[in-house]
Amino acid sequence: EAGVAQSPRYKIIEKRQSVAFWCNPISGHATLYWYQQILGQGPKLLIQFQNNGVVDDSQLPKDRFSAERLKGVDSTLKIQPAKLEDSAVYLCASSLTTGAFGYTFGSGTRLTVV
Amino acid sequence: KNEVEQSPQNLTAQEGEFITINCSYSVGISALHWLQQHPGGGIVSLFMLSSGKKKHGRLIATINIQEKHSSLHITASHPRDSAVYICAALTQGGSEKLVFGKGMKLTVNP
């Protein structure tokens, strides 16, 4: 089966610019996650979707970050405006249901804000 | 204190050595994942454990639920094993979450 697809792989932007990341989960996976991984740290959950509804966005900086999962399939994560501290790898993952075994991660998008 | 702690944080080994990576957690879990992350960011799931021991090739993962501790062992290590190894606990309860350790960077020299 195809894996979790993410794009772009790399992005360099200036602070205060906007950026968007795209994720296509594994077909049939109802749960989709966006994680932020700062260098030297483990991934931190930003937002979790169950189908097209938000399950957990408690750690999403909502003043600048937004995410949507229209139609319960693809998802986009947007940062507007970006700050230097947003430099990180943004990982998308999916699983069949919430808390299910068998998380599958995408390759991530490495964002550098200069 | 993090809910999931890994040790050591960095490890350099020579090819062929037996390697052990440790993970301790303080939360109730329904499962524990061992993940491998190569430079470039992509994460691969190695094991998911809820009890006992699992083996895949040169990798062995064990978990002791009573002691809240898990280990990942690599036998006959190889330079291609160089990566960051992350332990992640799937918490129990109605709102299950994957809580990650900071990862351990392994470098295996030829």
Side-chain angles (χ1 to χ4, degrees):
Chain A
E1 68 183 356
V4 175
Q6 286 190 249
S7 67
R9 285 286 283 122
Y10 305 94
K11 189 74 177 179
I12 301 174
I13 62 172
E14 295 182 349
K15 59 184 179 183
R16 291 187 289 273
Q17 284 188 321
S18 301
V19 65
F21 313 126
W22 174 82
C23 173
N24 186 9
I26 288 179
S27 178
H29 277 196
T31 310
L32 184 148
Y33 314 80
W34 282 103
Y35 291 92
Q36 179 194 58
Q37 186 179 20
I38 292 171
L39 187 65
Q41 299 181 19
K44 180 185 85 171
L45 179 68
L46 292 176
I47 189 166
Q48 177 182 338
F49 292 96
Q50 179 74 11
N51 296 310
N52 60 351
V54 176
V55 173
D56 183 352
D57 64 356
S58 57
Q59 296 195 86
L60 186 74
K62 297 180 186 63
D63 56 336
R64 298 184 300 106
F65 286 63
S66 64
E68 60 182 11
R69 192 184 183 197
L70 300 176
K71 302 180 182 178
V73 181
D74 293 9
S75 178
T76 55
L77 176 69
K78 296 179 182 177
I79 308 175
Q80 181 180 13
K83 293 185 176 181
L84 296 177
E85 58 261 34
D86 298 333
S87 295
V89 173
Y90 291 84
L91 291 159
C92 180
S94 70
S95 63
L96 200 55
T97 60
T98 302
F101 298 173
Y103 281 74
T104 303
F105 287 85
S107 297
T109 296
R110 182 175 294 277
L111 173 68
T112 302
V113 182
V114 297
Chain B
K1 190 179 189 299
N2 292 331
E3 292 174 305
V4 178
E5 295 277 1
Q6 289 188 242
S7 63
Q9 290 188 339
N10 293 281
L11 180 63
T12 300
Q14 288 300 122
E15 183 173 357
E17 286 185 6
F18 180 84
I19 293 164
T20 295
I21 306 166
N22 295 303
C23 175
S24 297
Y25 53 91
S26 56
V27 293
I29 68 167
S30 56
L32 186 127
H33 293 253
W34 280 103
L35 309 165
Q36 182 190 57
Q37 186 171 34
H38 281 283
I43 289 180
V44 173
S45 179
L46 298 175
F47 293 104
M48 186 213 44
L49 292 166
S50 54
S51 65
K53 175 180 171 179
K54 286 190 175 181
K55 184 177 189 293
H56 181 70
R58 295 181 293 106
L59 302 178
I60 303 167
T62 63
I63 189 167
N64 185 318
I65 298 295
Q66 287 72 32
E67 294 185 4
K68 295 191 172 182
H69 182 267
S70 177
S71 294
L72 177 67
H73 306 284
I74 305 175
T75 62
S77 59
H78 190 277
R80 65 175 173 266
D81 297 327
S82 298
V84 174
Y85 292 84
I86 302 173
C87 168
L90 183 63
T91 61
Q92 288 176 325
S95 180
E96 292 165 316
K97 294 182 179 180
L98 205 55
V99 180
F100 292 83
K102 289 187 177 181
M104 190 221 74
K105 184 176 180 181
L106 173 65
T107 303
V108 181
N109 293 320

